[in-house]
């Protein structure tokens, strides 16, 4: 059987769910912790079926650290390839359960899927940070007349 590690800040909307999950013997709620350090302890399958995030930072961090992921279309960000680097699910019980069962039955493939996920993230983001850094440097050097930017 699988084991669920829950981590992150608890929002008011999550209080009841987190309380119910923490009562289960196969669940550990770690609360707010260093996610990267947690991921590096061993390969896992990240479960992040988001409604609207686009690309949650946690998905990208998990993939870059060599974890595969179960995500919704909204949270895949184009980085998760269904059946290759993780599973993309509809936001319903049946789809989520099927993906979790697939991950459990294919657990021996999880490390390979995680390696592919890390490679995909690195390939798709290569050059991105250099491009941002060059643009910021130009603005900071006064070479650009644009004003009012916020880098987040």
């Amino acid at each position: 059987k699988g084991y669920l590690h829950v981590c992150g800040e608890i929002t008011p909307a999550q209080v009841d769910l987190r309380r119910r999950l923490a009562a289960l013997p196969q669940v550990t709620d770690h609360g707010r912790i260093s996610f990267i350090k947690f991921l590096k302890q061993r390969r896992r399958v990240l479960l992040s079926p988001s409604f609207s995030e686009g690309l949650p930072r946690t998905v990208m961090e998990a993939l870059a650290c060599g974890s595969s992921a179960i995500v919704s279309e909204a949270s895949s960000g184009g980085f998760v390839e269904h059946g290759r680097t993780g599973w993309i699910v509809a936001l319903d019980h049946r789809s989520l359960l099927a993906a979790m069962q697939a991950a459990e039955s294919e657990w021996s493939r999880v490390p390979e899927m995680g390696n592919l996920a890390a490679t995909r993230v690195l390939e798709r983001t290569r050059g991105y940070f250099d491009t941002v850094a060059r643009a910021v440097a130009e603005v900071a050097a006064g070479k650009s007349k644009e004003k009012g930017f916020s880098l987040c």
Side-chain angles (χ1 to χ4, degrees):
K1 291 290 180 187
Y3 197 89
L4 179 65
H5 293 272
V6 180
C7 61
E9 189 173 332
I10 300 173
T11 66
Q14 296 173 333
V15 171
D16 185 53
L17 173 62
R18 297 282 284 263
R19 187 178 308 119
R20 286 186 287 149
L21 287 174
L24 299 172
Q26 64 273 30
V27 175
T28 298
D29 191 329
H30 300 274
R32 190 174 182 160
I33 60 170
S34 168
F35 187 61
I36 297 294
K37 185 187 284 187
F38 181 71
L39 286 171
K40 289 183 176 181
Q41 290 176 4
R42 69 181 132 127
R43 296 181 190 263
R44 293 179 163 73
V45 176
L46 175 73
L47 181 59
S48 183
S50 177
F51 279 105
S52 63
E53 303 238 16
L55 179 61
R57 187 181 76 200
T58 53
V59 172
M60 191 172 225
E61 289 172 345
L63 297 174
C65 287
S67 290
S68 59
I70 298 173
V71 298
S72 63
E73 188 66 44
S75 61
S76 76
F79 288 94
V80 178
E81 295 176 86
H82 186 78
R84 186 163 187 260
T85 61
W87 297 266
I88 299 174
V89 300
L91 293 173
D92 62 64
H93 175 263
R94 182 175 293 167
S95 182
L96 185 57
L97 180 62
M100 293 173 74
Q101 289 171 335
E104 186 178 37
S105 70
E106 301 172 40
W107 198 256
S108 64
R109 287 189 54 226
V110 167
E112 174 194 351
M113 294 173 83
N115 287 336
L116 290 170
T119 299
R120 183 167 171 85
V121 167
L122 294 175
E123 287 173 353
R124 295 203 56 207
T125 59
R126 185 174 289 127
Y128 168 76
F129 296 106
D130 289 338
T131 300
V132 172
R134 282 195 313 270
V136 169
E138 283 185 32
V139 170
K143 293 181 182 177
S144 173
K145 304 291 185 199
E146 300 297 311
K147 297 186 183 192
F149 291 99
S150 296
L151 179 61
C152 302

